[in-house]
Amino acid sequence: MNNAKQKGLDTIIQRDIFKERGLANTRGMPIDHPFFQQIEETMCEPDWAQQGGLADGDGTFTDRSKYKTGGSYKLKMKDMEPIKFLADLYGANISKTEFVNPNQKTCYIVNLYGVRALHFMKKVCPYLIEKRKHVTNLINQKEEYTPVKIPMNLGNISLMMGYTVGFFDAEGCIEFKLQKNGQYKRSVKFTNTNIRPLKKIQRFLTIKPFSYKVISIQSFKEEGKKRVYTLYIGTKHQTSFLSILEPLFQIERKKKKIEKFKLYNKISQICDKNLVKKG
């Protein structure tokens, strides 16, 4: 098998809007161009916070200064919805990577370069946690920049919710495991190799109006691999957490899992009540 097949086959499934329409590319376009003004009219700050959560989870910011194009941004996911949203927003390509190995799932990729990447980085940098310093350095290659600090308080709850939803779309997981006693064990968790975003989300969920008390971070280290940190939402808070944030999720697959989670939770409550009555 050749290397191309081993690595996966890349196919462009949505072309860059500038190339598709025969327009000049964005090189030399000022950051206050009407193209970017239109983007900013479309997006509100919680939307950018959500993009920041996605970026901290599955995004990659790369230094391309040797190509004289500044930084670039790449979002690669197994779910299409966040990729499609960002590509449509900036008029960028979408590529699909398919693998011969059936155990490797198809991935979707969107890349931003040049002034489009610079605009995106400036909009999401205030909300980044893990990659904030790196992105600040990339922006400073083009202009003097210091990201504003976002205090974690009630006034900024929509921003923190946006970040949390974006990070959950990237690194969150809803699981159902059938146990030997015939009951399902349900878990809602975030997993990442960097503990800082998890600590920030943990702190956010323990202040008002959430005030979650049972929320923990555990770590696991497998030989030859990076240490992995997992933030668990306590059983008592799982349903409320998912119900509050569900309308904001972009990934349909996770929305369907939430509906399934609610159903299992309702069935469990009914069964538990019946057991109490029989007892």
Side-chain angles (χ1 to χ4, degrees):
M1 186 181 293
N2 61 40
N3 289 334
K5 287 185 178 180
Q6 288 176 351
K7 292 179 181 178
L9 179 64
D10 292 337
T11 308
I12 293 177
I13 59 174
Q14 179 171 304
R15 292 187 61 80
D16 188 294
I17 190 173
F18 289 88
K19 293 179 181 178
E20 187 71 20
R21 297 181 183 179
L23 303 172
N25 61 35
T26 55
R27 186 173 296 176
M29 181 186 288
I31 204 164
D32 60 352
H33 189 278
F35 176 75
F36 297 112
Q37 291 177 5
Q38 185 176 355
I39 290 175
E40 292 178 21
E41 289 172 3
T42 303
M43 299 281 282
C44 60
E45 289 307 312
D47 295 330
W48 291 116
Q50 187 167 352
Q51 289 298 316
L54 280 163
D56 259 347
D58 280 337
T60 303
F61 296 92
T62 304
D63 184 349
R64 295 176 60 86
S65 56
K66 65 179 180 179
Y67 302 110
K68 298 182 180 179
T69 58
S72 67
Y73 175 62
K74 175 181 179 180
L75 183 62
K76 179 179 180 180
M77 301 185 74
K78 294 171 184 175
D79 294 280
M80 177 68 156
E81 294 91 348
I83 303 297
K84 175 72 173 169
F85 180 88
L86 187 61
D88 287 348
L89 188 67
Y90 280 94
N93 276 349
I94 297 177
S95 61
K96 179 173 70 172
T97 302
E98 296 177 287
F99 300 93
V100 173
N101 185 342
N103 295 322
Q104 290 182 279
K105 292 184 179 179
T106 298
C107 292
Y108 301 94
I109 303 166
V110 58
N111 288 288
L112 299 179
Y113 300 100
V115 69
R116 281 186 276 192
L118 177 62
H119 180 268
F120 178 81
M121 289 190 291
K122 288 182 69 175
K123 297 304 294 184
V124 302
C125 191
Y127 307 110
L128 296 176
I129 299 171
E130 177 183 342
K131 297 163 184 172
R132 182 186 179 97
K133 185 177 180 180
H134 176 54
V135 172
T136 300
N137 291 336
L138 291 178
I139 297 171
N140 273 286
Q141 292 177 2
K142 289 292 184 179
E143 58 183 75
E144 189 174 335
Y145 174 81
T146 302
V148 297
K149 292 184 177 181
I150 310 294
M152 189 183 296
N153 54 41
L154 199 56
N156 291 321
I157 186 172
S158 62
L159 303 179
M160 284 305 303
M161 283 178 65
Y163 179 90
T164 302
V165 167
F167 198 79
F168 192 87
D169 263 341
E171 304 287 17
C173 181
I174 304 166
E175 287 184 339
F176 307 89
K177 289 184 179 179
L178 184 62
Q179 300 180 105
K180 291 181 179 179
N181 61 7
Q183 293 184 337
Y184 279 94
K185 181 181 180 181
R186 304 176 298 279
S187 67
V188 178
K189 60 186 179 181
F190 300 78
T191 303
N192 198 35
T193 55
N194 189 301
I195 197 173
R196 287 186 297 144
L198 301 181
K199 281 190 170 181
K200 193 73 174 278
I201 292 171
Q202 182 187 41
R203 186 183 164 203
F204 168 58
L205 294 176
T206 54
I207 63 174
K208 291 182 179 180
F210 293 97
S211 300
Y212 291 168
K213 298 186 184 302
V214 185
I215 181 167
S216 62
I217 297 177
Q218 298 178 13
S219 67
F220 176 76
K221 178 72 168 70
E222 190 175 339
E223 189 176 349
K225 295 184 178 181
K226 287 185 178 180
R227 181 172 293 278
V228 174
Y229 300 92
T230 303
L231 170 64
Y232 290 93
I233 305 297
T235 306
K236 292 182 179 180
H237 307 306
Q238 290 171 355
T239 302
S240 66
F241 171 78
L242 294 174
S243 297
I244 292 168
L245 300 183
E246 180 183 5
L248 304 174
F249 287 122
Q250 287 188 344
I251 297 176
E252 287 300 322
R253 176 178 58 84
K254 290 191 175 178
K255 286 184 177 182
K256 289 178 181 178
K257 269 202 166 184
I258 291 172
E259 289 305 314
K260 190 176 180 181
F261 182 94
K262 289 179 181 177
L263 178 61
Y264 276 120
N265 190 57
K266 192 171 183 179
I267 292 171
S268 295
Q269 288 176 348
I270 293 171
C271 292
D272 289 344
K273 286 181 182 178
N274 288 338
L275 285 173
V276 170
K277 287 179 180 178
K278 287 180 180 179

